[in-house]
Amino acid sequence: MENLKLPNDYTAQTEQVKEKDSKKFLKLVTIVSTFGGLLFGYDTGVINGALPFMARPDQLNLNPFTEGLVASSLVLGAAFGSIFGGRLSDNKGRRKVILYLAILFFFSAAGCVIAPNTTIMVAFRFLLGLAVGGSSVVIPSYLAEIAPADRRGMLVTQNELMIVTGQFLAYIFNAVIGNVFGDAGHAWRYMLVIATLPALALWIGVLILPESPRWLASKGKMADALKILQKIRSESIAQQELKDIKAHISEKQKIEKISFKDLRKPWIRRIVVLGISIGSISQLVGINSIMYYGTQILENSGFGTKTALIANVANGLIAVVAVIVGMSLLNKVNRRPMLLTGLTGVTIALITIGISAFVLTGSPMLPYVVLSMTVIYLAFFQGAIGPMSWLILAEIFPVRLRGIGMGLAVLCLWLCNFLVGLFFPILMDTVGLSGTFFLFALFGIVGIIYVAKFLPETRGLSLEQIEANFKRKS
């Protein structure tokens, strides 16, 4: 009888080993693919410390407008990258597009390093933005499609964590390079060249990435999809998941997509306007003024360049901690009150910075007050507004409205991000630190009123229930 049990024991052990190996491989795939998120974070954060050196007369000799152009050209590129990245990956495949993005990250980052003047710098920053925008769409989609259902939320939000980690690393390297090579005007080139290393790692790492099994199945390549699933799942789960994918594709083909003509319907228009408003408000409260110009804000308040670079690391650290805390609260707290708490926190921090810059002008206390308020601002934004905005956008659009609705909302989000990045140095030069932050606070107040009045609670509701609620109220 004991001999008869051996094959069963052997099969069970083999299944356990295979499951362990598939989890290891999935973990490796997640780490490699989220290097795109790390690059996203580093390339958006590095400009924070590079600009003061880049702006010097013996370097690129930037004025307030060209400073804004250098910082925001990446964001304008990202707006286009987010539009075309998703469509390209639908046609060419997720893996192939991630490879294209890695190549674009590497060469555009290298182009920024060797840029001899502002025009070439802006051109390469725009190309870098195409890679950033593409990765912001393709990598979360890839992770969502390759992750098991019970780990999808954790793996997809890991990309968000890698973005803020990339920004944090940028602030650390900025501080080190700025203090070691600060007397050399070209220190900014050393800061920028570091971005080529994770781009190279992603480029090499793509070689081990499998294609998304869902994309393969959508193209009718069921045998290839099963092979990939068998590498990242146990055999029984792989077979069942392929059946579920086939059923989902069949169901999706029956769904009638909504077009621009349907925006005349009040309930559809209401959802789209809500999505655009949430996306826009999340940027107009000025988050990227701190992410892109944090060093200059601290300089303007009274710190020296080298001290400001070191102090700015605190902003990067709190952003990472706040995202981790925010991720842990996503499924425990209602969406609406969490977003309202975040907006209230950032608005109070913005008003405090505005009043302090007005009242404490020339005081040695001012830089420390501004630093503490930017830390509080980032805690509320990265812990609540950032994750909640993306989650709400993902939830309010029904499946048949997601393409057009999400596209418009994300486009407006990137464009508002671009406007903040472009005009912040001009605002600082014309109305000063106090006036600039009062303007951001005004958008915060508008956001609080709008969310309190128009945003319904979506936690615990299915997409069908959310759609029904919008129809009922229109």
Side-chain angles (χ1 to χ4, degrees), residues 116-135:
N117 55 51
T118 306
T119 305
I120 292 175
M121 172 59 77
V122 169
F124 275 111
R125 288 276 294 172
F126 179 83
L127 291 174
L128 196 56
L130 291 176
V132 166
S135 70

Side-chain angles (χ1 to χ4, degrees), residues 151-164:
R151 297 175 66 194
R152 187 173 300 133
M154 186 184 72
L155 292 186
V156 173
T157 50
Q158 196 166 317
N159 192 54
E160 295 296 313
L161 182 59
M162 286 290 267
I163 291 171
V164 291

Side-chain angles (χ1 to χ4, degrees), residues 226-294:
L226 182 59
K227 280 181 188 175
I228 301 297
L229 285 169
Q230 286 168 335
K231 288 180 74 175
I232 56 176
R233 308 280 193 274
S234 64
E235 182 62 36
S236 57
I237 292 174
Q239 294 283 356
Q240 182 57 47
E241 193 162 330
L242 186 63
K243 286 181 185 176
D244 294 340
I245 291 169
K246 285 178 182 176
H248 177 72
I249 291 169
S250 177
E251 191 65 32
K252 197 175 177 182
Q253 287 169 345
K254 297 174 188 174
I255 295 172
E256 187 184 345
K257 294 281 177 71
I258 286 172
S259 67
F260 279 101
K261 287 188 290 184
D262 293 302
L263 291 176
R264 286 176 291 190
K265 295 176 183 175
W267 73 272
I268 293 175
R269 190 166 60 245
R270 184 166 170 244
I271 296 176
V272 172
V273 170
L274 180 64
I276 289 171
S277 302
I278 295 294
S280 301
I281 287 165
S282 71
Q283 300 305 306
L284 292 173
V285 291
I287 176 61
N288 289 307
S289 65
I290 293 172
M291 302 315 289
Y292 301 161
Y293 301 103

Side-chain angles (χ1 to χ4, degrees), residues 96-379:
K96 193 173 282 187
V97 171
I98 293 172
L99 175 62
Y100 296 159
L101 291 172
I103 294 168
L104 187 56
F105 267 124
F106 181 82
F107 284 108
S108 50
C112 290
V113 174
I114 62 172
N117 55 51
T118 306
T119 305
I120 292 175
M121 172 59 77
V122 169
F124 275 111
R125 288 276 294 172
F126 179 83
L127 291 174
L128 196 56
L130 291 176
V132 166
S135 70
S136 73
V137 173
V138 178
I139 290 171
S141 298
Y142 177 77
L143 288 172
E145 290 175 358
I146 211 159
D150 60 336
R151 297 175 66 194
R152 187 173 300 133
M154 186 184 72
L155 292 186
V156 173
T157 50
Q158 196 166 317
N159 192 54
E160 295 296 313
L161 182 59
M162 286 290 267
I163 291 171
V164 291
T165 301
Q167 289 171 333
F168 179 45
L169 289 173
Y171 299 160
I172 291 174
F173 282 118
N174 287 348
V176 172
I177 292 169
N179 279 271
V180 174
F181 302 102
D183 296 328
H186 54 265
W188 60 273
R189 297 189 191 272
Y190 300 147
M191 296 173 183
L192 297 181
V193 77
I194 292 169
T196 60
L197 300 179
L200 196 59
L202 179 61
W203 192 351
I204 296 167
V206 171
L207 297 174
I208 65 139
L209 291 184
E211 183 51 86
S212 159
R214 280 166 174 75
W215 182 83
L216 289 168
S218 72
K219 300 299 179 185
K221 300 177 180 179
M222 298 300 171
D224 292 336
L226 182 59
K227 280 181 188 175
I228 301 297
L229 285 169
Q230 286 168 335
K231 288 180 74 175
I232 56 176
R233 308 280 193 274
S234 64
E235 182 62 36
S236 57
I237 292 174
Q239 294 283 356
Q240 182 57 47
E241 193 162 330
L242 186 63
K243 286 181 185 176
D244 294 340
I245 291 169
K246 285 178 182 176
H248 177 72
I249 291 169
S250 177
E251 191 65 32
K252 197 175 177 182
Q253 287 169 345
K254 297 174 188 174
I255 295 172
E256 187 184 345
K257 294 281 177 71
I258 286 172
S259 67
F260 279 101
K261 287 188 290 184
D262 293 302
L263 291 176
R264 286 176 291 190
K265 295 176 183 175
W267 73 272
I268 293 175
R269 190 166 60 245
R270 184 166 170 244
I271 296 176
V272 172
V273 170
L274 180 64
I276 289 171
S277 302
I278 295 294
S280 301
I281 287 165
S282 71
Q283 300 305 306
L284 292 173
V285 291
I287 176 61
N288 289 307
S289 65
I290 293 172
M291 302 315 289
Y292 301 161
Y293 301 103
T295 302
Q296 286 167 294
I297 291 169
L298 295 174
E299 272 186 301
N300 197 276
S301 65
F303 280 129
T305 301
K306 291 183 179 181
T307 309
L309 285 166
I310 295 169
N312 196 54
V313 174
N315 287 338
L317 178 61
I318 197 66
V320 173
V321 173
V323 166
I324 294 170
V325 172
M327 283 165 58
S328 69
L329 293 174
L330 283 181
N331 295 319
K332 299 173 185 174
V333 181
N334 283 348
R335 318 298 192 221
R336 195 165 166 273
M338 190 167 172
L339 184 58
L340 282 169
T341 301
L343 285 168
T344 303
V346 301
T347 304
I348 291 170
L350 289 166
I351 291 170
T352 306
I353 291 172
I355 293 171
S356 302
F358 185 73
V359 174
L360 300 174
T361 303
S363 167
M365 284 179 59
L366 180 59
Y368 297 99
V369 172
V370 171
L371 176 61
S372 61
M373 284 300 108
T374 56
V375 166
I376 289 170
Y377 174 100
L378 284 168

